[in-house]
Amino acid sequence: MYYVLSIGVNYGPGADLLRFAEKDAIDIFRVLSGALGPPRVGGKCLLGARATRAEMIAALNALAWQPPEHLLLYFSGHGSEEGILLADGLLHYDELADYVRIIRARAMMTILDTCHAAAYGRFVSPADVAGLGGIDEDLTWLRVLSEAHPGMRMLFATSAETLSRESPNAKNGFFTAALLHAFHHAEADLPAGSPKLISDLQAFVNACAFMQEQQTKNWKRPGSGIVPLHIQQPQFLGHLGDFPLVRSQVERAVGTATITNFAFLPGLSMRVDFVVNGRRNVPTRWRVRLSHPDGSLIDGRSHRFVPAKDEHADGGQIRFPVSVLDDDFASSFVLDSGRQLPVRWTFELLDDHGHQLARRSLMGSYFKGAPMSQLGW
């Protein structure tokens, strides 16, 4: 079994209020427990006032009593060189290391998005660290997990001496935003079969590259300009490269989709219904295009959504204002001459990489002031 314990605390005693730590924990948990994550994943998300010392210790003790085969522990919030700040006080790193040590999971991943995050590594015994001490899709996941080095591996948002930051534009911590980007956009490096998986190393390297790329673009702290990369350099500890985190979407889309209804309605509008399967918590997009028969675009629109279930059904009316035909020279010329205007409606469901999940196209005709009608050719 693969288990995710994700914790986020925006406010702890005596500390400034963070904006996105709890959202960080939710976003990480949703990705890892969704369609991109391992099969049959279990987990718990502790947020805000619920993320107390007692609650976290109880969760760790429960894992020690009934350890999973693979464990991922994530924390976002305030941190110091001594520990992480929970809702009711500091959990010292030596305490955390002791509680984690008694969890007999075969392989463990700890991710800390806090200030001074890498200080935790000082309290971890080298014997516990992976590599330093000691095609069925589900079967592929399990095989790769079984081949991961035993022990712990850790990803830290920053060094033991420096601060971590939040990004108002990304609405996450810098490091978490970069990790999420890697989860959705990195190429697979594990294994040769299917599904294609992204390892801890691949995610970490891609996250670091993304942070460096973004530092001069849109990640800024209000009133203080750009945050230089040297202030926040992510670090890692342990053997990376063999612990799979998520499925890669670069080569092909995850899941499927079906357009169940695609029909004209009065006016310049269509009724569309669709079902998306196997894309829980994975961003998905629909796109509709109104075009001439030769494919030249008259108008279009799109909408991005994230299915909350393994089977996501949605639909509704899509309407373009008639003014889009008036604004299009070729269309207005045909309509003003009293002739019918042939138009093509195209509806697509896509992933963030542009992979097509489903597509339907329908030809129709429009007279000025008259409803759409389907063309028979």
Side-chain angles (χ1 to χ4, degrees), residues 321-329 331-332 335-336 368:
V322 178
S323 59
V324 301
L325 302 180
D326 296 330
D327 296 338
D328 181 72
F329 177 78
S331 299
S332 62
L335 294 173
D336 289 344
K368 201 163 191 177

Side-chain angles (χ1 to χ4, degrees), residues 71 91 133 140 143 146 175 230-231 240 256 270 326 351 354:
L71 171 65
L91 180 67
T140 301
R143 179 176 63 79
S146 70
F175 183 55
H230 69 266
I231 289 181
L240 301 187
T256 61
M270 295 285 290
D326 296 330
D351 71 2

Side-chain angles (χ1 to χ4, degrees), residues 8 72 137:
L72 190 145
E137 293 194 349

